[in-house]
PDB file of all heavy atoms in Angstrom:
ATOM      1  N   HIS A  59      58.449  68.803 198.832  1.00 90.00           N
ATOM      2  CA  HIS A  59      59.250  68.528 197.633  1.00 90.00           C
ATOM      3  C   HIS A  59      58.545  68.798 196.334  1.00 90.00           C
ATOM      4  O   HIS A  59      59.160  69.452 195.462  1.00 90.00           O
ATOM      5  CB  HIS A  59      59.865  67.163 197.704  1.00 90.00           C
ATOM      6  CG  HIS A  59      60.664  66.898 198.912  1.00 90.00           C
ATOM      7  ND1 HIS A  59      61.723  67.618 199.265  1.00 90.00           N
ATOM      8  CD2 HIS A  59      60.492  66.009 199.928  1.00 90.00           C
ATOM      9  CE1 HIS A  59      62.221  67.236 200.438  1.00 90.00           C
ATOM     10  NE2 HIS A  59      61.525  66.198 200.811  1.00 90.00           N
ATOM     11  N   PRO A  60      57.301  68.325 196.125  1.00 92.00           N
ATOM     12  CA  PRO A  60      56.690  68.615 194.862  1.00 92.00           C
ATOM     13  C   PRO A  60      56.434  70.084 194.596  1.00 92.00           C
ATOM     14  O   PRO A  60      56.525  70.644 193.453  1.00 92.00           O
ATOM     15  CB  PRO A  60      55.322  67.884 194.939  1.00 92.00           C
ATOM     16  CG  PRO A  60      55.348  67.076 196.174  1.00 92.00           C
ATOM     17  CD  PRO A  60      56.519  67.477 196.965  1.00 92.00           C
ATOM     18  N   LEU A  61      56.211  70.868 195.711  1.00 93.00           N
ATOM     19  CA  LEU A  61      56.057  72.273 195.580  1.00 93.00           C
ATOM     20  C   LEU A  61      57.351  72.944 195.210  1.00 93.00           C
ATOM     21  O   LEU A  61      57.404  73.808 194.351  1.00 93.00           O
ATOM     22  CB  LEU A  61      55.491  72.878 196.896  1.00 93.00           C
ATOM     23  CG  LEU A  61      54.128  72.323 197.337  1.00 93.00           C
ATOM     24  CD1 LEU A  61      53.724  72.844 198.698  1.00 93.00           C
ATOM     25  CD2 LEU A  61      53.038  72.751 196.289  1.00 93.00           C
ATOM     26  N   ALA A  62      58.429  72.536 195.856  1.00 92.00           N
ATOM     27  CA  ALA A  62      59.748  73.150 195.545  1.00 92.00           C
ATOM     28  C   ALA A  62      60.190  72.850 194.155  1.00 92.00           C
ATOM     29  O   ALA A  62      60.689  73.755 193.466  1.00 92.00           O
ATOM     30  CB  ALA A  62      60.789  72.582 196.560  1.00 92.00           C
ATOM     31  N   GLU A  63      59.955  71.601 193.686  1.00 92.00           N
ATOM     32  CA  GLU A  63      60.377  71.246 192.307  1.00 92.00           C
ATOM     33  C   GLU A  63      59.503  72.039 191.331  1.00 92.00           C
ATOM     34  O   GLU A  63      60.015  72.534 190.306  1.00 92.00           O
ATOM     35  CB  GLU A  63      60.173  69.747 192.133  1.00 92.00           C
ATOM     36  CG  GLU A  63      61.071  68.908 192.953  1.00 92.00           C
ATOM     37  CD  GLU A  63      62.521  68.891 192.494  1.00 92.00           C
ATOM     38  OE1 GLU A  63      62.807  69.199 191.337  1.00 92.00           O
ATOM     39  OE2 GLU A  63      63.386  68.596 193.360  1.00 92.00           O
ATOM     40  N   SER A  64      58.170  72.185 191.647  1.00 93.00           N
ATOM     41  CA  SER A  64      57.312  72.905 190.732  1.00 93.00           C
ATOM     42  C   SER A  64      57.720  74.339 190.674  1.00 93.00           C
ATOM     43  O   SER A  64      57.760  74.974 189.577  1.00 93.00           O
ATOM     44  CB  SER A  64      55.873  72.856 191.253  1.00 93.00           C
ATOM     45  OG  SER A  64      55.352  71.563 191.211  1.00 93.00           O
ATOM     46  N   LEU A  65      58.084  74.958 191.772  1.00 93.00           N
ATOM     47  CA  LEU A  65      58.505  76.337 191.847  1.00 93.00           C
ATOM     48  C   LEU A  65      59.726  76.566 190.939  1.00 93.00           C
ATOM     49  O   LEU A  65      59.767  77.499 190.162  1.00 93.00           O
ATOM     50  CB  LEU A  65      58.829  76.688 193.278  1.00 93.00           C
ATOM     51  CG  LEU A  65      59.101  78.162 193.540  1.00 93.00           C
ATOM     52  CD1 LEU A  65      57.923  79.092 193.228  1.00 93.00           C
ATOM     53  CD2 LEU A  65      59.509  78.350 195.002  1.00 93.00           C
ATOM     54  N   ASP A  66      60.649  75.699 191.027  1.00 91.00           N
ATOM     55  CA  ASP A  66      61.911  75.870 190.227  1.00 91.00           C
ATOM     56  C   ASP A  66      61.658  75.671 188.768  1.00 91.00           C
ATOM     57  O   ASP A  66      62.053  76.503 187.921  1.00 91.00           O
ATOM     58  CB  ASP A  66      62.964  74.825 190.660  1.00 91.00           C
ATOM     59  CG  ASP A  66      63.565  75.166 191.977  1.00 91.00           C
ATOM     60  OD1 ASP A  66      63.451  76.398 192.468  1.00 91.00           O
ATOM     61  OD2 ASP A  66      64.109  74.284 192.673  1.00 91.00           O
ATOM     62  N   LEU A  67      60.878  74.611 188.410  1.00 92.00           N
ATOM     63  CA  LEU A  67      60.584  74.362 186.974  1.00 92.00           C
ATOM     64  C   LEU A  67      59.747  75.483 186.386  1.00 92.00           C
ATOM     65  O   LEU A  67      59.982  75.912 185.267  1.00 92.00           O
ATOM     66  CB  LEU A  67      59.756  73.021 186.897  1.00 92.00           C
ATOM     67  CG  LEU A  67      60.507  71.779 186.628  1.00 92.00           C
ATOM     68  CD1 LEU A  67      59.508  70.613 186.567  1.00 92.00           C
ATOM     69  CD2 LEU A  67      61.333  71.861 185.371  1.00 92.00           C
TER      70      LEU A  67
END
Side-chain angles (χ1 to χ4, degrees):
H59 304 302
L61 298 172
E63 297 286 338
S64 294
L65 186 63
D66 288 340
L67 266 179

